[in-house]
Amino acid sequence: MKNSAVIPTSFIAVLIRYLDERSLVAPELRQTLGALAEQPHIANLRFSELLAEVYEISPVPAFGVQLGRMVQPRDFGLVGYLLTACSTLGQALTRYGRFQTLVLTDLSTQVEVSSGVISHRWDLQDADTPIACEFGVALFITLYQSLIGKSIPPVKVGLPFSEPEDKALYEALLGCPVVFNTSCLMVDIPSNLMWMTISSSDPYLRKIFDRQAEALLLTREHSRFSRDKAPPGDQEDFLEQLQQQLLMAMKDGDTQASRLASEMGYSLRTFYRKLADEGYSYRSILAGLRRRLAKKYLADPSLSYSDIAMLLGYSEQSAFIRAFKDWMGVTPGEFRRNLRGD
């Protein structure tokens, strides 16, 4: 059976921002949003339901578009941070295409270039309500405009639902012609935008975020393999969340169990107990993830041993080398030479 599509819970911050900016109290909804934000991801169908709940509190025309205009790159989670570190919009959107499933699982965007226009076409997974579709195109537009720091509108936008009476409002908000009853979501942007620079560009951070995004894809693949072998449950969610939190902790260089437990909302005692109930230890989970990532990173000749040590959250290169030899029986250098066939 196909798993439901999920998105990062970082997008919940957009809903909270909307409530705050419009001084909407909604205590029960805020409590729900706060609880959901503690998880690593949320089902796209559930997020669509939350969009509808916010709309019921504030039923404004073109609500999804207006909400999408409040999106910030950081709301995309790790992918957002990666995009802001890119040099040009073209480089950023290439990365977006590579890691789009970290934004919405099973997302597949079709991109075509013709006559000075780059066309993006995609479908939403599990939730294709008008509000969700409005939000989807608006957040993509707001993302690229935020990256280049200019409100350059698309050439055209397409929405897969019937034309509303206030079509002019959509065109005013999006700044371009809007076509309705399309077969999918559509955003056409001028191709010359691809050369526009991103002021927050940082090649060093881009490399770090690139590796972390690749690692997260690897972790997702590993988690899916594990799900095929075991029935789903709370423990599976706990282990998946732990691995994702570990990736972020490695980036920060602090992989202490006490930090991970706190980030996940557990006391240290409960954290250890949940691991022990399934026959795991924190040390074995951390070492296993580091070992898999180390082998992947060593296959990339552009990464130095100090780069890999940092990506894995080691404070010193020597600590990484000792750990790798304990895992594999060879040093990182010997492992890399064996990969090359030297």
Side-chain angles (χ1 to χ4, degrees):
M1 181 177 178
K2 184 177 179 180
N3 294 314
S4 298
V6 300
I7 63 174
T9 49
S10 47
F11 281 115
I12 288 178
V14 185
L15 303 181
I16 296 174
R17 197 177 305 136
Y18 183 90
L19 295 176
D20 288 343
E21 291 198 6
R22 284 158 178 75
S23 300
L24 301 173
V25 182
E28 293 184 5
L29 177 57
R30 285 179 179 273
Q31 184 176 9
T32 298
L33 294 176
L36 290 171
E38 296 298 321
Q39 303 301 315
H41 49 67
I42 181 175
N44 194 38
L45 180 59
R46 178 67 179 114
F47 186 77
S48 180
E49 292 171 350
L50 293 172
L51 291 177
E53 289 182 42
V54 177
Y55 174 73
E56 289 178 6
I57 297 172
S58 176
V60 298
F63 166 72
V65 175
Q66 300 200 45
L67 182 67
R69 284 160 55 88
M70 300 179 66
V71 169
Q72 299 173 8
R74 69 171 182 264
D75 298 323
F76 287 75
L78 176 61
V79 174
Y81 290 110
L82 168 59
L83 301 187
T84 60
C86 290
S87 300
T88 65
L89 182 61
Q91 187 180 73
L93 292 184
T94 297
R95 294 299 198 287
Y96 186 79
R98 168 75 180 103
F99 300 116
Q100 60 186 331
T101 56
L102 298 181
V103 178
L104 173 61
T105 53
D106 300 322
L107 177 62
S108 178
T109 304
Q110 305 301 316
V111 181
E112 296 181 359
V113 182
S114 62
S115 304
V117 172
I118 299 182
S119 302
H120 296 79
R121 306 283 187 271
W122 72 97
D123 292 301
L124 293 179
Q125 301 295 320
D126 298 336
D128 57 356
T129 64
I131 291 176
C133 291
E134 294 171 8
F135 181 71
V137 296
L139 73 84
F140 179 77
I141 294 167
T142 305
L143 173 63
Y144 85 70
Q145 291 177 341
S146 297
L147 291 173
I148 61 177
K150 297 181 183 295
S151 299
I152 299 176
V155 175
K156 183 175 62 177
V157 165
L159 290 165
F161 56 84
S162 301
E163 181 176 318
E165 294 181 0
D166 50 0
K167 174 183 177 181
L169 175 60
Y170 285 81
E171 296 186 335
L173 290 172
L174 296 171
C176 67
V178 179
V179 180
F180 293 88
N181 282 317
T182 54
S183 60
C184 61
L185 280 73
M186 302 165 43
V187 177
D188 294 348
I189 61 178
S191 58
N192 58 10
L193 297 189
M194 297 302 101
W195 302 105
M196 296 194 70
T197 58
I198 297 173
S199 62
S200 56
S201 172
D202 188 322
Y204 179 77
L205 285 179
R206 183 175 69 244
K207 181 170 73 172
I208 298 298
F209 291 134
D210 260 333
R211 306 308 171 193
Q212 294 294 350
E214 289 284 0
L216 189 50
L217 280 181
L218 179 68
T219 302
R220 287 273 178 90
E221 293 170 0
H222 178 76
S223 297
R224 286 178 180 176
F225 175 74
S226 299
R227 283 196 294 269
D228 289 340
K229 297 175 63 177
D234 292 341
Q235 188 68 12
E236 172 196 306
D237 294 337
F238 170 78
L239 293 174
E240 182 175 349
Q241 183 184 4
L242 172 57
Q243 291 185 90
Q244 294 189 31
Q245 289 288 346
L246 269 173
L247 289 173
M248 301 307 293
M250 288 179 193
K251 175 178 68 66
D252 296 334
D254 181 3
T255 56
Q256 296 182 76
S258 57
R259 173 205 167 151
L260 271 292
S262 177
E263 291 286 343
M264 295 173 65
Y266 297 105
S267 68
L268 188 58
R269 181 177 180 179
T270 301
F271 178 77
Y272 281 136
R273 178 180 57 76
K274 289 181 73 68
L275 285 169
D277 286 347
E278 292 298 316
Y280 292 103
S281 70
Y282 176 68
R283 182 169 301 196
S284 68
I285 292 288
L286 175 58
L289 182 57
R290 278 174 160 167
R291 181 174 63 252
R292 293 198 306 274
L293 295 178
K295 292 165 67 176
K296 180 178 180 65
Y297 294 151
L298 286 168
D300 184 346
S302 70
L303 290 176
S304 68
Y305 300 131
S306 61
D307 288 335
I308 297 173
M310 180 180 59
L311 286 167
L312 296 178
Y314 288 101
S315 58
E316 297 179 356
Q317 177 179 321
S318 58
F320 159 60
I321 292 174
R322 288 195 301 271
F324 191 85
K325 189 170 183 179
D326 287 342
W327 300 331
M328 306 300 296
V330 295
T331 66
E334 291 169 331
F335 183 85
R336 181 168 268 177
R337 286 193 292 275
N338 289 336
L339 288 178
R340 294 198 305 258
D342 295 349

